[in-house]
Amino acid sequence: MTTNIILLGPPGAGKGTQARKLVEERGMVQLSTGDMLREAQASGSEMGKKVAAVMAAGQLVTDEIVIGLIREKLEQGSEGGFIFDGFPRTLPQADALGDLLDGMGAKLDAVIEMQVDDEALVSRITARSTCGSCGEVYNDNTKPIPADGKCTNCGGTEFKRRADDNEDSLRQRLMEYYKKTSPLIGYYYAKGNLSSVNGLGEIDAVQAEIAKILG
Ligand code: ADP
């Protein structure tokens, strides 16, 4: 079955963690514009160089760039459907996504808002690290890197912290979220496909709430 969904929520809400679960369970394809932009940076491409400073400062890159990235990925198709993670982040991006899906004869099945409070976000993000090989997410307080220094998922031994996971960038990312992205909650509510989950729950509990929405 093809299911296309958006995971919507502030930085640190757990979108990436839940997206990875959905990929494993349902064979969906995760489209994270944040990951795509970080890959562009790592590859040293012109675009990657252009967005590096904007991202480090916690600001949004242009709609044109991210819409282009998403368009390319949609063209590759997905049997299980797509999880949009960190996209759309502005109203023009939401309109563009609607047009792209229409053009493919596809639709959005659900927009899942992950609700969290801002204090939890600060502590989640400043404690966050990921496995350099497989992207498994760790947290110094709630899910520390194992004592043997090996990733539980793939055995990798390199862990990274994001350049923008510091308190100053995070404050800016939150401001961008409230100014530019949170209006999408009303937008999708009006379109009739908004659902909300409590993103403060345990990973498994959030996963179960999402599964219930997707049926
Ligand atoms: P988080 O949700 O944890 O803030 P992401 O990994 O989704 O982080 O994004 C990191 C950064 O990449 C953002 O702060 C922004 O600079 C850029 N970015 C990602 N997705 C978009 C988007 N859809 N539109 C504009 N900028 C984006």
Side-chain angles (χ1 to χ4, degrees), residues 114-131:
M114 303 186 62
Q115 297 177 326
V116 280
D117 68 56
D118 293 350
E119 266 326 293
L121 298 178
V122 179
S123 64
R124 273 190 185 183
I125 286 200
T126 49
R128 172 162 82 174
S129 59
T130 53
C131 169

Side-chain angles (χ1 to χ4, degrees), residues 26 75 79-80 85 104 111 150 178 194 209 212:
R26 296 177 184 249
E75 280 164 6
E79 276 194 17
D85 160 12
M104 299 162 57
V111 177
K150 289 193 184 142
Y178 287 115
L194 186 76
E209 274 195 73
K212 214 152 94 191

Side-chain angles (χ1 to χ4, degrees), residues 11-12 15 33-35 37-38 54-55 58-61 66 86-87 89 93 128 162 164 173:
K15 304 182 295 286
T33 40
D35 287 349
L37 292 166
R38 280 184 288 277
V54 176
M55 289 176 72
Q59 286 156 359
L60 294 187
V61 310
V66 289
F87 179 92
R89 260 178 158 92
Q93 290 178 25
R128 172 162 82 174
R162 275 169 46 173
D164 60 349
R173 280 152 67 198

